[in-house]
Amino acid sequence: MAVRYKLYYFDAQGRGELVRLILHAVGEEFEDIRVHQALWEQLKPSTPLHTLPVLEIDGKQLAQSSAIARYLAGVFDLGGRNNLEKALVDSAAELIDEILSDALKIIFEHDKRRKAKALKQFVTVTLPQKLARLEEFKLAHGKGYGYIFGNDLTYADLAAHNAFDQIVSGSIVEREVLEQYSYPAELRRRIFDGEPRISRYIKHRNQMLKSL
Ligand SMILES: N[C@@H](CCC(=O)N[C@@H](CS)C(=O)NCC(=O)O)C(=O)O
């Protein structure tokens, strides 16, 4: 019998979007449950680690976006073919998660001075450094197809696309600046030209966001 997946996350991209992207990429049906803040306060004590996202797998709940992503990568073969390859893909995904974490902290910082300071540090130091590390990683482990590892899509690529997307939509860096690096630029082309399920979902999602 088919496994039943339910994703609980807020009505936002944040840390839930990577899970959505993975499930759309593999064409797996899931319930995309958008939790409103008022309901969250009631739901929170019953969740495994009192945070979202939570993925429910046939009734069993799993928290922490990276753990969920790795679990799904294992199930759907999106993370390397042996233990070492899986660890290498995980290492790239961890670096990408650091970029997303930094970006989300800035996006959700409400103090103007703290936000401006963090933004400057991120844009001038942290992001260029981490993008340079990713380029080196891709050169060492990618096969020239635009993916970070080997010649197939891995969940680390989806994590990267998600992080880059949120950096741009969160007005942290313009897409042109990001795409001076080869990985963000090639990956976006790869996803839109070669991954129809993901590009369909992203186009539909962006359309919905525009109409709000
Ligand atoms: N490291 C965790 C972070 C989870 C997290 O902080 N989730 C936030 C939303 S992005 C949350 O649940 N906030 C509500 C709360 O803490 O009450 C993950 O990646 O899942």
Side-chain angles (χ1 to χ4, degrees):
M1 223 170 68
V3 177
R4 277 171 54 94
Y5 293 103
K6 289 184 189 180
L7 171 67
Y8 294 84
Y9 193 63
F10 303 104
D11 191 16
Q13 295 179 38
R15 294 197 154 277
E17 192 63 11
L18 173 57
V19 185
R20 294 188 188 114
L21 284 172
I22 294 174
L23 288 165
H24 281 289
V26 296
E28 188 68 23
E29 270 189 36
F30 68 105
E31 266 184 75
D32 189 353
I33 299 165
R34 309 284 173 133
V35 179
H36 294 283
Q37 196 62 40
L39 180 65
W40 169 237
E41 297 308 326
Q42 293 171 35
L43 201 66
K44 185 169 173 156
S46 67
T47 57
L49 298 173
H50 295 197
T51 53
L52 294 180
V54 165
L55 183 69
E56 204 172 286
I57 308 142
D58 275 343
K60 293 197 174 69
Q61 293 196 330
L62 177 63
Q64 289 286 350
S65 56
S66 301
I68 298 170
R70 277 179 209 184
Y71 168 78
L72 292 174
V75 172
F76 295 107
D77 228 2
L78 278 179
R81 289 162 304 183
N82 56 46
N83 286 338
L84 181 57
E85 284 192 6
K86 286 185 208 312
L88 284 164
V89 173
D90 289 345
S91 70
E94 287 288 339
L95 177 57
I96 293 155
D97 190 61
E98 287 176 16
I99 297 176
L100 178 66
S101 292
D102 289 345
L104 289 176
K105 269 189 217 136
I106 296 168
I107 291 169
F108 291 108
E109 175 60 71
H110 294 302
D111 180 286
K112 275 192 184 157
R113 274 183 51 200
R114 276 207 297 266
K115 191 179 182 101
K117 192 172 169 214
L119 185 63
K120 187 170 175 215
Q121 172 72 14
F122 182 70
V123 172
T124 58
V125 181
T126 321
L127 184 63
Q129 269 176 1
K130 290 185 175 173
L131 286 173
R133 298 294 94 78
L134 279 177
E135 296 289 317
E136 287 163 14
F137 189 99
K138 182 164 78 80
L139 216 57
H141 299 288
K143 292 275 190 283
Y145 292 94
Y147 297 127
I148 194 89
F149 190 90
N151 48 14
D152 289 313
L153 181 83
T154 63
Y155 84 97
D157 295 305
L158 293 173
H161 185 73
N162 177 44
F164 300 150
D165 222 32
Q166 295 201 49
I167 285 173
V168 171
S169 65
S171 304
I172 291 185
V173 163
E174 307 228 329
R175 189 169 299 283
E176 294 69 40
V177 174
L178 204 55
E179 295 195 352
Q180 285 165 1
Y181 293 84
S182 76
Y183 181 44
E186 283 176 16
L187 180 62
R188 196 157 69 91
R189 273 199 295 280
R190 259 275 155 205
I191 284 186
F192 282 100
D193 298 344
E195 302 287 345
R197 283 194 289 237
I198 316 172
S199 65
R200 239 191 335 268
Y201 163 65
I202 293 174
K203 280 179 191 151
H204 174 74
R205 180 198 73 195
N206 293 351
Q207 208 58 45
M208 299 293 282
L209 287 173
K210 262 193 224 148
S211 66
L212 286 178

